[in-house]
Each structure stands twice: as structure tokens, then as C-alpha cells.
Amino acid sequence: PLKSANQAEQSIVETQPDQDEILTELLTAQKELESTETGLVPKLRGLLGSALEMRTKYEMDAPKRVRHREILQDYRLAQERRKEMDAIWQQQRDQDMDAVCDICNDGEVTPDNQILFCEACNVAVHQMCYGIDEVPEGDYYCVACRYFEREKMSTANVVLAGGRTAPKIAPT
């Protein structure tokens, strides 16, 4: 038993220098951490301050962002309407390209012999077949529609009993 007590004492004495080294290393690491921490405090305060400023500016700009979103939404809607109108326009152009004269039943078109469409009844006629020297500017109405004054009916609002307005007459 004496031997084992002596051995225990000796191992304590031998481990004592190891513990001192560890304690010294821990104290050194603690001092390094404290110095690093004191250097971080001003940096962290600066970052938190700038984050607060950015958040405040972000919240102050909220009405502007809402307006920008509204403008973008209006723009998108206008683009969609434009695409729809372009599709309708292209469809009409394709239909016009496939059109044939209701008099001669021919679809051939030349620069001086265009096919014209009546705005009221949508009859298609060649200039030469219908006796039209020049393509009129604006809307074109055939002789029958001018005779029955359909051009006035298609552009004027008709007032009905009770003050209501009748819809415009669509081309047939």
C-alpha cells in the first residue's frame, strides 16, 4: 500500500506541471477572447445601427414600392391587352388576306386594285369592280349602306325611350 500511495503522490506531482500548462493556455486564450470581444462590440453596434437605418428607410419607402407595384401591374395588364389586340389585328389581317371580292369572286390584289371592306355590312369589293378610283381615307361604306344611311347608324348613339342609349350597330 505504501508503494501505491507514493506512486499516487508522484503521479500528482508529475501531472501538476501539465495542469499549470493547461491553466496558462486557458488564461491566454481567455485574454485573447476578451480583447477580440472588446474589438467586436463597436463593430456590432455599428452593424446593428446600419441595419436599423436600412430597415427604417425600407419602411419609409413602402408607399413608393406600392406605387411601383401598381405601375408594374398596370404595365403587365397593358401588355396583355396589347397582345390580345395584336392577335385580333393579325386575325383580321389574315382574314383580309383570304378575302375575295363579292362581285368577281377573285382574291387577287394589286396596288391599284385593293379589296375594300364596308364598315357597316363588311362586303368585300375590288376598287375596279365597284368603281372606286382611290382608297378613301378613314372608314369605307358601300353604296347600299350610304343609301340606307348605315354609316350614320353605326357611328351615332341612338337614344331609346327612358333616356337609354342603344348599342352601336355592329358590322354584319
Side-chain angles (χ1 to χ4, degrees), residues 37-99:
E37 187 177 284
T38 56
L40 286 177
V41 169
K43 289 180 182 177
L44 289 174
R45 285 191 179 145
L47 286 172
L48 288 173
S50 65
L52 180 63
E53 287 175 22
M54 290 172 64
R55 179 62 187 198
T56 303
K57 183 180 177 193
Y58 177 80
E59 289 176 1
M60 296 294 283
D61 289 342
K64 189 186 291 184
R65 282 192 313 280
V66 168
R67 181 66 183 132
H68 287 174
R69 270 190 234 116
E70 290 171 354
I71 290 170
L72 285 173
Q73 182 64 26
D74 290 346
Y75 179 73
R76 287 184 191 112
L77 290 173
Q79 281 182 320
E80 288 175 20
R81 284 193 305 265
R82 177 68 187 254
K83 286 180 184 177
E84 290 171 3
M85 293 304 295
D86 286 346
I88 291 169
W89 180 255
Q90 185 61 40
Q91 183 181 7
Q92 183 64 43
R93 289 169 82 188
D94 292 344
Q95 181 183 356
D96 291 350
M97 294 305 289
D98 293 337

Side-chain angles (χ1 to χ4, degrees), residues 23-37:
L23 183 60
T24 305
E25 286 179 27
L26 286 173
L27 288 172
T28 305
Q30 181 182 8
K31 287 179 184 176
E32 287 177 12
L33 285 173
E34 286 174 353
S35 67
T36 304
E37 187 177 284

